[in-house]
Amino acid sequence: QEMESCFRKQLDFVSRGEDAYRSSLQTQKYLVSGDEEEIAIKSYILCDIASNILLQAQVLSSLLLNSDSFSERSRAQEVSDKYNLAAEAFCQAIKFNSIDAASWCGLGCSILEKDPLLAQHAFCRCAQIDSIFPDAYANVGFLYTSKLAFSASRSTMEALTQVADTPMMWMNCAFILEREAERC
């Protein structure tokens, strides 16, 4: 019960961030010049809104994994709905600015469980737009590891080492070793 209360407080805190981002988007509606800077600002705000919704989905997912006091079916539906809402928000951001790498990466994270192939496409599109965006490589690596495609995952992690040395890369390498040990 105490853990659920803690997660709910965290969710409430994160949700207030969404409201703040939406408020800042409202202030941007009055700008009508359509110049490059304005488009970039609106694009980043839309991506921030979508990222916030994704974070809410992740908090709800953690709540689902760590508590049994709430109806599992309704909680699972709440998590699924939040991931769908995040995916829709990232799609809106992409429609506004189709070359924002972060929006593509976020879309991939939002749909990973539901449609891994489309998620892979989104991560690859992110890397195509910004070849030094480490999260795109790391997420593709995690996706391959989850599907037990260790060779592809290692190859992706090697590509990531050319981009950045991130903790996610090393975590994925550990997951590969763990999964390989489980198979022995």
Side-chain angles (χ1 to χ4, degrees):
Q1 188 70 0
E2 187 177 317
M3 186 178 290
E4 183 169 336
S5 174
C6 181
F7 277 109
R8 288 288 172 188
K9 287 178 183 175
Q10 184 180 12
L11 182 61
D12 181 56
F13 177 77
V14 172
S15 297
R16 282 186 267 147
E18 179 188 355
D19 295 339
Y21 289 127
R22 289 193 186 281
S23 175
S24 67
L25 186 60
Q26 291 299 323
T27 64
Q28 294 297 312
K29 283 188 175 182
Y30 300 108
L31 300 175
V32 291
S33 66
D35 68 358
E36 217 174 281
E37 185 176 332
E38 181 185 329
I39 290 170
I41 290 169
K42 286 182 181 179
S43 173
Y44 296 142
I45 293 171
L46 288 169
C47 185
D48 286 343
I49 291 168
S51 296
N52 184 278
I53 297 168
L54 176 59
L55 180 57
Q56 291 174 49
Q58 291 167 335
V59 170
L60 280 170
S61 184
S62 294
L63 178 60
L64 177 64
L65 292 172
N66 290 295
S67 173
D68 349 90
S69 64
F70 192 81
S71 165
E72 295 301 316
R73 179 180 289 160
S74 67
R75 179 169 292 143
Q77 187 60 50
E78 186 180 5
V79 170
S80 178
D81 291 347
K82 198 59 90 166
Y83 275 109
N84 289 337
L85 190 59
E88 290 171 18
F90 280 115
C91 285
Q92 181 183 8
I94 290 167
K95 283 180 186 172
F96 190 78
N97 181 2
S98 64
I99 59 167
D100 180 39
S103 293
W104 282 101
C105 191
L107 176 62
C109 292
S110 299
I111 61 173
L112 186 60
E113 288 298 315
K114 187 165 59 169
D115 192 342
L117 188 59
L118 187 55
Q120 178 187 12
H121 168 75
F123 295 138
C124 290
R125 181 68 180 118
C126 172
Q128 183 183 33
I129 293 167
D130 183 350
S131 63
I132 60 171
F133 199 98
D135 291 357
Y137 295 92
N139 283 312
V140 168
F142 280 120
L143 174 62
Y144 290 155
T145 299
S146 73
K147 301 299 181 191
L148 306 178
F150 301 131
S151 177
S153 185
R154 277 194 189 89
S155 175
T156 303
M157 291 303 97
E158 287 173 20
L160 178 56
T161 63
Q162 304 303 309
V163 174
D165 185 9
T166 71
M168 290 174 63
M169 173 183 68
W170 296 109
M171 288 169 46
N172 189 38
C173 290
F175 287 140
I176 292 170
L177 292 172
E178 188 177 81
R179 293 275 169 86
E180 286 178 330
E182 289 172 351
R183 295 176 79 190
C184 292

Short mmCIF file of all heavy atoms in Angstrom, two decimals, residues 3 101 120 142 145 167:
data_model
loop_
_atom_site.label_atom_id
_atom_site.label_comp_id
_atom_site.label_asym_id
_atom_site.label_seq_id
_atom_site.Cartn_x
_atom_site.Cartn_y
_atom_site.Cartn_z
N MET A 3 3.97 1.49 -1.05
CA MET A 3 4.68 1.58 -2.32
C MET A 3 3.76 2.15 -3.40
O MET A 3 4.17 3.00 -4.20
CB MET A 3 5.21 0.21 -2.75
CG MET A 3 6.08 0.28 -3.99
SD MET A 3 6.76 -1.31 -4.46
CE MET A 3 7.92 -1.55 -3.14
N ALA A 101 14.83 13.88 -34.33
CA ALA A 101 15.30 12.54 -33.95
C ALA A 101 14.71 12.08 -32.62
O ALA A 101 14.32 10.91 -32.48
CB ALA A 101 16.82 12.52 -33.90
N GLN A 120 11.55 -0.71 -34.18
CA GLN A 120 12.88 -0.79 -34.80
C GLN A 120 13.00 0.24 -35.91
O GLN A 120 14.01 0.94 -36.03
CB GLN A 120 13.12 -2.19 -35.35
CG GLN A 120 14.46 -2.33 -36.06
CD GLN A 120 14.62 -3.68 -36.75
OE1 GLN A 120 13.66 -4.44 -36.89
NE2 GLN A 120 15.82 -3.98 -37.17
N PHE A 142 18.87 -3.15 -27.24
CA PHE A 142 17.99 -3.78 -26.25
C PHE A 142 16.90 -4.59 -26.94
O PHE A 142 16.54 -5.68 -26.48
CB PHE A 142 17.35 -2.73 -25.34
CG PHE A 142 18.24 -2.24 -24.24
CD1 PHE A 142 18.57 -0.90 -24.15
CD2 PHE A 142 18.74 -3.10 -23.27
CE1 PHE A 142 19.38 -0.42 -23.13
CE2 PHE A 142 19.54 -2.64 -22.25
CZ PHE A 142 19.87 -1.30 -22.17
N THR A 145 18.42 -7.79 -28.15
CA THR A 145 18.70 -8.67 -27.00
C THR A 145 17.42 -9.32 -26.51
O THR A 145 17.39 -10.52 -26.21
CB THR A 145 19.38 -7.88 -25.87
OG1 THR A 145 20.62 -7.35 -26.35
CG2 THR A 145 19.66 -8.76 -24.66
N PRO A 167 26.10 4.29 -20.39
CA PRO A 167 25.75 3.19 -19.47
C PRO A 167 24.79 2.19 -20.10
O PRO A 167 24.87 0.99 -19.82
CB PRO A 167 25.09 3.91 -18.29
CG PRO A 167 25.60 5.31 -18.35
CD PRO A 167 25.84 5.61 -19.80
#
